[in-house]
Every structure is written in C-alpha cells, then in structure tokens.
C-alpha cells in the first residue's frame, strides 16, 4: 500500500510553521463516480471486482481517514449520503452540490447525480457561510459546479475560504476554451465571497499546466494563487495526477490541483504535500485498481494560516 500514515506527510515536506501558527491538512480527490467507473469509463485493465462498490467504498473511506485531513474536497461524488454518514461519525460535517445534468443519471444502476462535496472537521473548524454556483461560460450556465465554503479555525479564530470544483472534461480546442471561461467565472465567484480572506481553490480542473485555464487561475492579479504541489517541488507540477487505461489506450496527465492565496495578509504557507504513487506502486493496470480506488490520486497538503494582526476580541 502506497501511503504513509497520518499525521506526518512522508514526502515533499518543505517547511515548518511559525511558532503558534494554526495549521490544517486538506485532502483533494476526484474519487471516481461509481456509475461512471462501472458503466462509462471502460477501464479495461482494472479487475472488475476492484470496481465493485462493496470494495471501493471501503478503500475510499480508508484513504481519506488514513490521512486524517481537517478539510476534504471531493469530486464525482454519487454516494453523498454514505459519505455524510461515515464521515459524520468520524467528526466531520459536509456539504454537497450535484451537477445539474450529471451523466451518471443516464447510466444503469446509478445512485443519482454526481457532484462536488466538502467536509470539515467540526473540532477544528466552524462553518461561517457557504455558496454554490453553476459555472457560466460566456454568461450561459454549464454542467459544471463549484462549492464555496468559509470556515473559522476555532483556535485562532482565523477564517478561510475553500472552493472546490470539477471543470469540463474532454480534449479539443473548444473544450480548452470552455474550461478557461469556467476558470474566469470561478475566480469571480471566489472574489464575490472571499472578502480578503486566505483561500484555497482545489479540484479536478481537467487541464494540464500548459492549458490557458491554469494560467488564468495562477497568474491573475486578484487573487494571486499558487499551486501547492508546484511550490513544494521547485515550481514544477507533478508529471501526473491521473493514470489510467481505457479501451482507447493509456493516459497519464496532471489535472488536479490545490491552489492557495500566496500574497499579503491572506498568504497561506504550504508546509508539505504528499507525493503521488510511483509507477512501480501502480502496476501495469495503472488506476483504478485494488490499491487505488480511483483513476485520480488524492492530493494531501498541510498549510499554516497567516496570523491575525490583532487578537480576536
Ligand atoms: P464532462 O465532459 O465534463 O465529463 C463527464 C464525466 O466523464 C467526467 O466525470 C469525466 O471524468 C468523464 N470522462 C472524461 N473523459 C472520458 C472518457 N474518455 N470516457 C469516459 N468518461 C470520461 O461531462 P458533462 O458533465 O459536461 O456532461 C456531458 C456528458 O454527459 C456528455 O459527454 C455525455 O456523455 C453525458 N450525457 C449523456 C446523456 C445521455 O445519455 N442521454 C445526457 C446528458 C449527458 P474526468 O473529469 O475524471 O475526466
Ligand atoms: Ca472521471
């Protein structure tokens, strides 16, 4: 099995938090919707038993809980009520926003639409407010959604805004352009609700770092966002965050990101990030598999919140 147990991140560890700074761990993961994984993706090298929900649900929960994150951001969630129950007894509360016309609902044996979910540990964070958005492309609603949650860290009383999303999939010039428009809409949505707070924007962006949406998200002036995995790796994104074999061949891409505000009073500090599984850990069938329940790998990052300028009285 590929991952080191919580609380220490085994690899890509970079920095220590300033004395007294509040720290937290975030896990970002496209968990692979059960309906899509079994009836749409055509993972030809994955043993069918590894795709059974009776197997995958335990492996997904195990991976989340092993890392003991304080915030969990998930995409392709088509069994939200199960996550709510299981993570609920582990001390988390969550929110869910389904896609308006999820492809899952057209597939056999589906369990409803897939969407984005966010969970937070209630002993660490208190919910301040939450908003959701159907992302717009040239002012027209698309089939992609974003969930934005503002949390208050209980020890420091520092507030943090977290936005999670799953941008439009598929290749081609038009789709590249659509994703870029969704990225612009995402930033507007963030700015509408962030009010200068430190923020994290994470999700499956379905875009390699060379795509325009990556530059849109990381190079716009307001807010200034950096990618956590690039920060801990001398400015380089990992070579892949998903690696799979479908009927039409093998694909290996870096599509999933944890972006964070990096400037001024809203600057978060990245303390470490967990490396993705190596080729030898994945085996010839790549992912999903018995050891990796999704075709995407989980991103796990430790952050320090910026200190408040004055005591919270
Ligand atoms: P997207 O194009 O964003 O993709 C939906 C899902 O398909 C994503 O979760 C994506 O996963 C996955 N996916 C990406 N590439 C492939 C692939 N090569 N093979 C299998 N699955 C893949 O979809 P939208 O939400 O915009 O919805 C549109 C899609 O929904 C249409 O393409 C259609 O297939 C389906 N649909 C079907 C309907 C019907 O049957 N009547 C009605 C409405 C929609 P990831 O992000 O991990 O790559
Ligand atoms: Ca998928």
């Amino acid at each position: 099995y590929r991952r080191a147990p919580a609380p220490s991140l085994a690899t890509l560890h970079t920095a220590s938090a300033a004395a007294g700074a509040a720290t937290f761990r975030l896990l970002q993961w496209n968990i692979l919707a059960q309906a899509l994984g079994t009836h749409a993706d055509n993972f030809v090298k994955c043993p069918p038993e590894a795709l059974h929900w009776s197997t995958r649900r335990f492996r997904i929960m195990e991976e989340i809980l092993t890392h003991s994150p304080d915030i969990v951001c998930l995409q392709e969630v088509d069994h939200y009520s199960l996550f709510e129950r299981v993570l609920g007894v582990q001390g988390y509360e969550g929110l869910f926003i389904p896609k308006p016309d999820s492809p899952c609902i057209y597939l056999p044996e589906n369990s409803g639409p897939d969407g984005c979910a966010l969970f937070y540990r209630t002993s660490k964070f208190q919910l301040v407010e939450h908003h959701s958005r159907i992302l717009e492309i040239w002012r027209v609603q698309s089939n992609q959604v974003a969930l934005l949650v503002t949390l208050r860290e209980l020890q420091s009383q520092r507030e943090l805004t977290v936005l999670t999303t799953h941008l439009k999939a598929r290749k081609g010039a038009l789709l590249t352009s659509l994703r870029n428009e969704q990225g612009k809409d995402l930033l507007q949505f963030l700015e509408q609700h962030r009010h200068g707070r430190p923020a994290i924007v994470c999700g499956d962006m379905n875009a390699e770092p060379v795509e325009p949406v990556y530059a849109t998200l990381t190079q716009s002036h307001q807010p200034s966002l950096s990618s956590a995995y690039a920060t801990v790796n001398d400015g380089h994104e990992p070579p892949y965050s998903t690696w799979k074999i479908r009927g039409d061949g093998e694909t290996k891409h870096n599509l999933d990101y944890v972006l964070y505000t990096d400037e001024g009073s809203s600057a978060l500090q990245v303390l470490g990030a967990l490396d993705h599984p190596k080729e030898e850990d994945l085996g010839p069938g790549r992912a999903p598999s018995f050891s990796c329940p999704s075709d995407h790998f989980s991103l796990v990052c430790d952050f320090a919140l910026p200190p408040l300028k004055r005591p919270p009285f």
Side-chain angles (χ1 to χ4, degrees):
Y1 181 56
R2 67 189 173 92
R3 298 291 174 109
S8 62
L9 294 183
T11 55
L12 299 180
H13 187 84
T14 53
S16 306
T23 63
F24 66 93
R25 176 170 293 179
L26 178 138
L27 182 147
Q28 145 59 37
W29 198 12
N30 175 336
I31 59 167
L32 174 61
Q34 184 61 15
L36 296 175
T38 48
H39 293 288
D41 275 284
N42 192 21
F43 293 123
V44 287
K45 294 290 167 87
C46 178
E49 301 78 22
L51 283 177
H52 287 175
W53 186 234
S54 57
T55 306
R56 291 188 65 237
R57 61 186 177 183
F58 293 116
R59 287 290 303 107
I60 294 168
M61 299 300 176
E62 180 189 26
E63 180 154 338
I64 294 171
L65 294 171
T66 295
H67 296 300
S68 195
D70 301 302
I71 302 171
V72 181
C73 296
L74 305 174
Q75 300 81 41
E76 291 199 24
V77 176
D78 64 350
H79 282 84
Y80 177 71
S81 59
L82 179 73
F83 282 84
E84 199 177 28
R85 268 183 288 141
V86 174
L87 296 181
V89 295
Q90 297 290 333
Y92 297 87
E93 278 181 7
L95 300 112
F96 172 68
I97 171 80
K99 293 173 69 167
D101 188 24
S102 162
C104 293
I105 63 172
Y106 302 97
L107 295 168
E109 302 168 284
N110 75 79
S111 55
D114 75 308
C116 297
L118 186 149
F119 291 88
Y120 57 93
R121 193 196 297 280
T122 55
S123 60
K124 176 92 177 164
F125 288 108
Q126 174 188 3
L127 181 65
V128 176
E129 59 181 44
H130 60 94
H131 304 273
S132 62
R133 181 167 177 85
I134 297 175
L135 295 176
E136 294 186 3
I137 299 172
W138 299 304
R139 299 198 175 175
V140 176
Q141 287 187 337
S142 68
N143 199 24
Q144 278 63 43
V145 293
L147 178 59
L148 181 148
V149 174
T150 293
L151 302 169
R152 183 177 299 121
E153 202 275 332
L154 294 171
Q155 179 205 326
S156 65
Q157 294 290 298
R158 240 320 191 168
E159 291 182 2
L160 167 75
T161 296
V162 183
L163 190 164
T164 189
T165 192
H166 184 187
L167 299 188
K168 176 72 186 159
R170 317 278 168 165
K171 282 191 271 185
L174 173 63
L175 292 155
T176 297
S177 172
L178 299 186
R179 271 189 288 278
N180 193 31
E181 294 304 314
Q182 290 183 328
K184 293 178 194 170
D185 194 53
L186 203 65
L187 288 182
Q188 278 186 12
F189 179 47
L190 177 66
E191 278 315 277
Q192 192 185 342
H193 298 292
R194 184 172 76 94
H195 304 302
R197 297 181 187 99
I200 288 180
V201 174
C202 65
D204 175 358
M205 307 301 175
N206 264 311
E208 293 266 24
V210 293
E211 271 207 23
V213 67
Y214 182 87
T216 295
L217 293 173
T218 57
Q219 290 171 22
S220 63
H221 184 63
Q222 184 69 23
S224 168
L225 295 172
S226 282
S227 170
Y229 273 70
T231 298
V232 300
N233 194 28
D234 296 329
H236 303 292
E237 291 289 355
Y240 54 86
S241 62
T242 175
W243 193 346
K244 60 200 141 216
I245 305 174
R246 292 197 180 106
D248 56 359
E250 184 164 348
T251 53
K252 175 184 171 188
H253 298 293
N254 196 62
L255 309 176
D256 306 270
Y257 303 95
V258 176
L259 310 176
Y260 64 98
T261 47
D262 61 354
E263 274 182 5
S265 60
S266 61
L268 290 162
Q269 186 190 4
V270 191
L271 304 175
L274 188 67
D275 207 356
H276 297 321
K278 303 278 179 264
E279 180 170 4
E280 56 270 27
D281 301 324
L282 291 172
R286 310 314 182 199
S289 64
F290 280 110
S291 60
C292 292
S294 172
D295 55 327
H296 292 251
F297 308 120
S298 56
L299 284 70
V300 186
C301 303
D302 283 346
F303 286 100
L305 283 160
L308 272 180
K309 287 210 177 79
R310 53 185 171 72
F313 304 129

